[in-house]
Amino acid sequence: MIVNPIKVNSIYQNNRNSHKSASFYPQFCAKGIYPGSFDPITNGHLDIIKRASKLFDELTVLIAINPEKKEFLPLSQRMKLIIKSVKDLTNVKVASYSGLTTDFAKLSNSDFMVRGIRDVNDFEYEKNLFEINKKNNSNIETIFIPTNPETAGISSSVVRNINKIGGNVSNFVPECVDRTLYLKKSFDDIVKNLGFDQEKSVEVFNKIIDTYDNPVRGYHDVKHIFSMLKNLDEFILNNPNSIQNLNEFKFAILMHDYVNGTPNEVNESIAVAEKFINQIAPNHNSNYIKRVILATDYSHNISKPSIDEMLIQDLDLSILGSNPVDYKEYANLIREQYSNLADDIFNNARKRILQNFLDKENIYNIDYFKTKYEVQARMNISKELETLK
């Protein structure tokens, strides 16, 4: 892939030892490169990566940067999504490069380039590219891997187009990509429906997704926001017209946990939400959004909560009523988030919080969520309390 000026930026999965040919030929390490824009990575890409990883001691998934090409997802997000997608492939690393792929091959001492082939047209294109690459780097060899028939029709452009019209892409991309694209579509709809500045909104969304997509976030991460928005969409299908300010409500979901892990996190999240609104829509009244976010501060009671305030609380607490496996993962992530606290301090604080939920007549406010989650939530909480004694 030919792109412009030479600059390399690599992120490695782990420090690893070669595990294939080097075990037979100690002086030889087979290195391969699989280049592409991966905007976003798809199950088709992932299938090629898995199969190619068996051929080399080390395989680099190379994000080729083309400044002239408009990005769907920024480089930082694509990098994170690929790293998550290949986390179980111990000899695969991820890098980005804004130069000739053949030059990266020289810099990384890689002699092989991997290309996926879907049909005859692909082969003709790749054959021509192979000849060009040979002129730039005579040592480079290209390995063509036929695509799996099950993934042959999946491409980044197809995924982008389906996502833009609100279609389901979960069968075409890794789970982490599906979550990010769902959040992006939700945010794009908010921007469009509320008439926010679209160019400035791109920067805001990137900040939001980068903030939630951080390993130190613990439970309050992309998965949590994704789950809330998914639950909301299902609720709206069953209860149409129940919220008058749906787009602002969704923005409140996106922002309610933005600042995480501080005593005053809700108010700080509100402050960031106001900042973002002023950036993308200076004349927009943010009082509604602030009020909805504030409802997720459970340290104070709302005397007469609105349907919107009750709804965001129920969505925020829906994890309590999840299946036992997901609940256990949630409980572990909460403990990990507060790993700086000694066990006795954490356990006592956690027990108070959980007991407060059990002492309520109902954990959930709205009948839809009571029916869906109440019984399982009480079972999950009671079981966790037993482990904290």
Side-chain angles (χ1 to χ4, degrees):
M1 185 169 293
I2 301 176
V3 285
N4 287 317
I6 298 175
K7 182 181 178 183
V8 66
N9 173 28
S10 299
I11 295 182
Y12 293 84
Q13 288 295 95
N14 289 300
N15 292 320
R16 308 180 179 92
N17 295 318
S18 299
H19 69 292
K20 292 187 177 65
S21 61
S23 61
F24 298 99
Y25 307 101
Q27 302 303 317
F28 177 72
C29 178
K31 293 184 178 181
I33 302 169
Y34 179 39
S37 58
F38 304 105
D39 195 16
I41 185 173
T42 69
N43 288 341
H45 293 135
L46 190 56
D47 178 65
I48 295 294
I49 293 169
K50 289 178 178 178
R51 291 158 65 193
S53 70
K54 300 174 183 178
L55 305 176
F56 303 103
D57 299 292
E58 180 179 284
L59 176 69
T60 299
V61 179
L62 181 66
I63 305 176
I65 304 169
N66 187 346
E68 297 179 359
K69 188 175 180 180
K70 186 176 180 181
E71 295 178 323
F72 181 67
L73 294 175
L75 175 62
S76 62
Q77 288 176 31
R78 282 180 278 160
M79 187 80 74
K80 288 179 181 178
L81 293 174
I82 297 173
I83 289 173
K84 287 182 179 181
S85 300
V86 302
K87 66 181 186 298
D88 295 328
L89 302 175
T90 58
N91 65 322
V92 175
K93 65 181 183 180
V94 184
S96 64
Y97 190 69
S98 57
L100 294 174
T101 306
T102 49
D103 288 338
F104 178 86
K106 292 177 183 178
L107 290 171
S108 61
N109 295 317
S110 301
D111 292 324
F112 300 95
M113 189 180 303
V114 173
R115 302 299 293 169
I117 299 293
R118 288 175 292 191
D119 52 32
V120 174
N121 292 331
D122 269 4
F123 179 77
E124 288 299 322
Y125 171 80
E126 294 295 345
K127 181 175 178 292
N128 292 332
L129 190 59
F130 161 76
E131 293 170 356
I132 295 172
N133 288 337
K134 265 293 187 183
K135 291 178 181 178
N136 291 326
N137 183 348
S138 60
N139 292 324
I140 197 76
E141 296 293 344
T142 301
I143 295 178
F144 300 120
I145 299 182
T147 57
N148 188 319
E150 294 180 1
T151 60
I154 303 173
S155 67
S156 295
S157 59
V158 167
V159 168
R160 291 195 298 267
N161 290 334
I162 294 174
N163 179 254
K164 285 178 181 178
I165 62 174
N168 182 2
V169 299
S170 61
N171 292 326
F172 308 137
V173 295
E175 186 178 3
C176 59
V177 178
D178 181 41
R179 288 195 292 264
T180 294
L181 296 187
Y182 193 89
L183 265 61
K184 178 173 172 55
K185 179 64 172 82
S186 297
F187 186 83
D188 288 347
D189 287 345
I190 293 168
V191 169
K192 179 181 178 181
N193 294 333
L194 292 179
F196 289 170
D197 186 301
Q198 293 193 7
E199 283 192 23
K200 293 179 180 178
S201 295
V202 171
E203 180 183 349
V204 168
F205 175 75
N206 292 340
K207 288 180 179 178
I208 291 173
I209 197 71
D210 282 344
T211 295
Y212 283 111
D213 194 9
N214 188 322
V216 302
R217 293 286 299 191
Y219 165 68
H220 300 98
D221 62 358
V222 168
K223 192 174 181 180
H224 172 55
I225 303 300
F226 168 79
S227 177
M228 288 182 68
L229 288 171
K230 271 279 193 180
N231 259 331
L232 172 63
D233 286 345
E234 291 174 7
F235 173 77
I236 296 300
L237 282 176
N238 291 277
N239 301 271
N241 304 317
S242 55
I243 305 177
Q244 292 183 345
N245 303 299
L246 180 59
N247 291 287
E248 290 179 301
F249 187 87
K250 287 186 174 182
F251 189 82
I253 289 177
L254 286 168
M255 294 304 305
H256 84 285
D257 272 332
Y258 188 91
V259 178
N260 185 39
T262 64
N264 200 29
E265 60 189 25
V266 174
N267 286 327
E268 291 183 33
S269 294
I270 289 172
V272 179
E274 285 187 288
K275 176 184 174 182
F276 284 164
I277 291 170
N278 288 333
Q279 182 177 337
I280 59 182
N283 298 320
H284 190 85
N285 189 330
S286 61
N287 289 336
Y288 171 84
I289 293 171
K290 290 190 290 184
R291 179 169 57 82
V292 173
I293 295 175
L294 190 60
T296 62
D297 180 0
Y298 303 102
S299 63
H300 74 278
N301 293 321
I302 305 171
S303 56
K304 293 182 179 180
S306 65
I307 180 68
D308 311 72
E309 291 168 316
M310 291 190 291
L311 178 57
I312 196 168
Q313 289 180 348
D314 286 356
L315 291 167
D316 194 30
L317 299 176
S318 60
I319 185 63
L320 300 179
S322 61
N323 66 71
V325 173
D326 287 346
Y327 184 87
K328 185 176 181 180
E329 179 186 3
Y330 149 75
N332 290 338
L333 286 171
I334 291 292
R335 183 64 186 101
E336 183 180 311
Q337 184 174 327
Y338 296 98
S339 58
N340 60 312
L341 298 178
D343 285 342
D344 58 336
I345 296 174
F346 173 83
N347 289 351
N348 288 333
R350 183 69 176 161
K351 283 191 286 187
R352 286 195 298 271
I353 293 170
L354 295 177
Q355 192 60 53
N356 284 339
F357 284 123
L358 289 185
D359 291 343
K360 291 183 176 182
E361 183 178 353
N362 294 293
I363 295 173
Y364 298 96
N365 303 297
I366 299 170
D367 288 343
Y368 174 86
F369 292 97
K370 289 177 187 176
T371 302
K372 190 174 182 180
Y373 293 123
E374 186 78 26
V375 173
Q376 186 63 50
R378 291 186 177 277
M379 291 172 61
N380 288 336
I381 292 171
S382 297
K383 190 170 182 178
E384 184 184 356
L385 277 170
E386 291 177 2
T387 68
L388 296 172
K389 291 179 180 178

